[in-house]
Amino acid sequence: MIDLTYLNDRFEHLQQASADDGIAVIRKNSFDSFNKTGLPTYRTEDWKYTSISNLFDESFAQAGHTITLADLDALRMPGHHKANELVFVNGRFDATLSNILSTDDELTVLSLKDAAKGEYKDLVARYLNKSSEYMKDGVHALNGAFIEEGVFVYIHKGKTPQHPLYIYHILDGRDHPVMAQPRGLIYVAENSRLQLTETYATLGVSDSFCNGVLEVVVDQNAYVEYYKIQNDKSNASQVSTTHITQIGRSYVHTVTVTLNGGVVRNNMNLVLDAAGNETHLYGLYLLKGKTHADNHTMIDNKQPNCFSNQLYKGIADDFSTAVFNGKIMVQPDAQKTNSFQSNKNILLSDNATINTKPQLEIFADDVKCSHGCTVGQLDEEALFYLRARGIPKDKAEVLLLQAYAADVLAHIKPMAIRAYVEKLIYEHLSIV
Amino acid sequence: MLSIKNIHANVEGKEILKGINLEIKAGEVHAIMGPNGSGKSTLASVLAGREQYEVTAGEVSFLDKDLLELSPEDRAREGLFLAFQYPVEIPGVSTTNFIKAAVNEKRKYHGLEPLDSVSFLKIMKEKMKLVEIDQSLLSRSINEGFSGGEKKRNEIFQMAMLEPKLAILDETDSGLDIDALRIVANGINKLHSPERAVLVITHYQRLLDYIQPDYVHVLYNGRIVKSGTKELALELEEKGYDFITEGVDLNA
């Protein structure tokens, strides 16, 4: 169980130490909210299939760490030589390990505290923790209550940084269990572009729990690609909230890939707050062992003529559990909304579980929304066909699963990242 | 090469094969004919190892091994090839990669090094000519969007690549126009040699105009009720199956 006295002490300590960092009010409100709602249980509809309360036993990460560049090198993703790399260690943004190649007139990176006080303070004040309007649960509030060493990224107006942005979350579980709460705010200004890939790695054998929140604000004519790659240890759990607000007519494309992990809960929120927004959400989860992966998507259509498309596909093998919940809201002003959603699953084991649920709340009368979900098995005929040519059963299954994954992977646009994910998938599926 | 002794097989509890005996020697071409529902395709499936088919009695030896003990993949690697009646479409798996994997799995089984890309492509080019199959088909996903004729040609192409000891062709002629039939038959004839055997399963005699069988067997109600030479096929074409099936006691 969560130790409330400990939390309270940590919170008071943080508030005293950082009383004037410009984020104290958000922390205060968040902590109040946490105290009021507590952690979600299965009685909370949005958390019906995913229990996280036992994950909070982990110790809160303290300041300071012993991660070296060599540790980081082992985790880097292909293409990193040409990427802007942001590194979080135990939930804290670490400027020393991070490496920015882009010039400051294209892309600015600041600590959230610095951003909250300087040139960008109005943006931070306006957009930081807007996610709490949608995320009312205690997990999200707990991240807000402990915003400390977060990051702020600003992509300047009209700029297309040549270097993609990679974010690494390193959790140091070499000596003891660790809980981390990274926080980020990214502003993608008018006519600019951002390509972002985020990934997670726990070092050592202790349990880890990462409760991260990333908010992205997308302005007029901006273009965002976002890739989330989750392939951590079997005792590494996380709640990962990505809250994207499209404040101007813009384009957002996301792909979430979940392979190995403990309990993984993803909240992918899209607020379409300008007419004519376009959004594509893709997800792929290939689960085995006891991994529990829960993808909650939320698209709030607030303005007319927005288009969104979602395709989430996955398999559940062994004792794993997959959850998909796709919420689409269409507000009264959001006429001519086009919103499509599809969730496809393959159940590979009698002991695995799949829960899938569309959730449509439509308050406008001239909209096109569709949703569909399937749960099936691997095609036995295809399997026999491959075996009848001499390909052994396990390899044939890997071939078919790779093929199944291919139409989601095709949406990972950067070739280096796609090849990297394909390799991770091959290794993940080949280990019996 | 292949020796089938008194095979009985069930599908979903229903007995389809009721005691089949058949000997095939290296270099021979056998044809099995018979009306719909007689058990022709079940026999092919049992030999290839399809799991839905339950063998309740009898034995099959292939190159002196107990065939029924082998997994489908090991049967293939030992040199048995089934050309499917309905080749399966597998989106997302490239035909070329699939065939390369199959060829190399077989080589591995026989203790050979995998083919490098250059040698593989060279062999592939040769065999492509043989069955007049286009490169563009092979770069696509397995059978995805192929016409009926293209699927059957792809089967023969795979057979040519895998060079089986025994090829079983399950109604490979069905749905083919005359040109495709000629190409498919040509591919089979090129493969045929004193070391290899072919078992052609067909409903019609017309494929046998192109492939000369040494023996023709008529399968009816789960049993081989008549065997003969290629003249038997012509007689069947002329008189229909009735002349054979009349007088066969279904309960015997």
Side-chain angles (χ1 to χ4, degrees), chain A residues 107-344:
Chain A
L107 177 144
T108 299
V109 176
L110 296 169
S111 80
L112 205 45
K113 284 178 188 171
D114 289 346
K117 279 181 286 195
E119 186 186 346
Y120 299 103
K121 69 171 195 267
D122 291 344
L123 281 184
V124 174
R126 197 179 314 150
Y127 293 110
L128 183 65
N129 211 33
K130 285 283 271 189
S131 51
S132 64
E133 290 175 12
Y134 290 87
M135 306 299 293
K136 303 288 188 191
D137 60 73
V139 195
H140 183 269
L142 198 63
N143 178 291
F146 288 90
I147 299 175
E148 195 178 353
E149 298 294 339
V151 75
F152 174 80
V153 180
Y154 188 87
I155 316 294
H156 291 264
K157 194 170 165 180
K159 299 293 183 185
T160 301
Q162 289 303 303
H163 309 286
L165 187 61
Y166 289 4
I167 300 181
Y168 300 92
H169 294 281
I170 303 174
L171 288 91
D172 188 353
R174 290 176 297 188
D175 293 330
H176 49 75
V178 59
M179 174 173 163
Q181 302 208 88
R183 185 77 182 214
L185 174 63
I186 299 179
Y187 193 94
V188 190
E190 271 175 58
N191 292 308
S192 69
R193 290 170 81 97
L194 170 68
Q195 190 186 78
L196 166 63
T197 304
E198 199 170 17
T199 191
Y200 306 80
T202 298
L203 305 183
V205 297
S206 300
D207 294 354
S208 73
F209 176 55
C210 184
N211 176 29
V213 178
L214 177 67
E215 291 176 272
V216 184
V217 181
V218 189
D219 208 336
Q220 184 79 16
N221 274 326
Y223 174 100
V224 174
E225 286 173 37
Y226 172 78
Y227 305 103
K228 186 187 299 202
I229 302 166
Q230 299 165 314
N231 186 35
D232 207 345
K233 303 225 157 86
S234 299
N235 58 341
S237 293
Q238 62 170 298
V239 176
S240 170
T241 299
T242 310
H243 188 86
I244 302 175
T245 309
Q246 293 179 252
I247 59 169
R249 179 181 178 142
S250 54
Y251 179 97
V252 172
H253 172 105
T254 77
V255 183
T256 302
V257 177
T258 310
L259 305 177
N260 203 39
V263 175
V264 178
R265 163 66 177 254
N266 293 317
N267 300 307
M268 178 60 75
N269 301 339
L270 266 296
V271 181
L272 310 188
D273 204 3
N277 271 316
E278 183 172 344
T279 301
H280 299 260
L281 306 183
Y282 299 94
L284 177 70
Y285 39 94
L286 305 175
L287 313 179
K288 54 187 203 179
K290 290 180 179 171
T291 299
H292 176 114
D294 176 348
N295 280 291
H296 265 62
T297 66
M298 191 283 297
I299 298 184
D300 186 9
N301 294 276
K302 297 176 80 167
Q303 303 292 336
N305 288 307
C306 291
F307 173 90
S308 61
N309 183 41
Q310 299 180 60
L311 173 63
Y312 273 69
K313 286 177 82 169
I315 61 163
D317 198 358
D318 302 333
F319 293 86
S320 65
T321 302
V323 181
F324 175 80
N325 188 100
K327 184 172 180 177
I328 297 172
M329 288 187 287
V330 183
Q331 305 294 353
D333 287 342
Q335 298 295 357
K336 307 280 183 197
T337 288
N338 278 303
S339 193
F340 308 106
Q341 179 188 94
S342 170
N343 175 232
K344 297 177 182 172

Side-chain angles (χ1 to χ4, degrees), chain A residues 381 385 387 389-390 395, chain B residues 50 73 82 105 155 158:
Chain A
E381 268 301 296
Y385 189 77
R387 294 179 71 190
R389 296 295 176 257
K395 281 194 189 170
Chain B
R50 200 184 283 267
E73 51 267 38
L82 171 65
E105 285 294 341
E155 293 295 289
Q158 290 171 36

Side-chain angles (χ1 to χ4, degrees), chain A residues 1-2 39 52-58 139 142 179 209:
Chain A
M1 264 316 287
I2 191 159
L39 292 177
I52 45 140
S53 53
N54 55 342
L55 299 173
F56 284 85
D57 290 341
E58 319 305 351
V139 195
L142 198 63
M179 174 173 163
F209 176 55

Side-chain angles (χ1 to χ4, degrees), chain B residues 226-245:
Chain B
K226 196 171 174 67
S227 293
T229 54
K230 64 183 178 203
E231 284 71 29
L232 177 59
L234 295 169
E235 200 178 351
L236 283 171
E237 184 77 0
E238 194 186 321
K239 299 183 182 169
Y241 286 108
D242 288 349
F243 97 98
I244 292 203
T245 57

Side-chain angles (χ1 to χ4, degrees), chain A residues 40-60:
Chain A
T41 67
Y42 65 89
R43 286 185 295 272
T44 316
E45 181 62 27
D46 278 347
W47 291 86
K48 195 171 170 183
Y49 299 109
T50 301
S51 168
I52 45 140
S53 53
N54 55 342
L55 299 173
F56 284 85
D57 290 341
E58 319 305 351
S59 41
F60 268 52

Side-chain angles (χ1 to χ4, degrees), chain B residues 45-61:
Chain B
S45 293
V46 164
L47 293 176
R50 200 184 283 267
E51 279 164 0
Q52 297 92 311
Y53 294 75
E54 190 199 350
V55 177
T56 52
E59 55 192 65
V60 182
S61 83

Side-chain angles (χ1 to χ4, degrees), chain B residues 27-30 127 130-131 156-157 159-160 164 167 169 172 180-200 206-214:
Chain B
E28 293 178 349
V29 177
H30 288 243
K127 308 291 185 181
L130 190 73
V131 295
I156 300 306
F157 174 67
M159 180 184 81
L169 306 160
T172 301
L181 192 65
R182 181 186 51 76
I183 291 166
V184 163
N186 189 35
I188 297 165
N189 288 331
K190 288 259 174 66
L191 181 84
H192 183 224
S193 74
E195 300 83 52
R196 302 178 204 283
V198 179
L199 175 61
V200 181
R206 60 175 197 160
L207 180 63
L208 305 180
D209 287 341
Y210 299 90
I211 302 170
Q212 300 289 324
D214 300 302

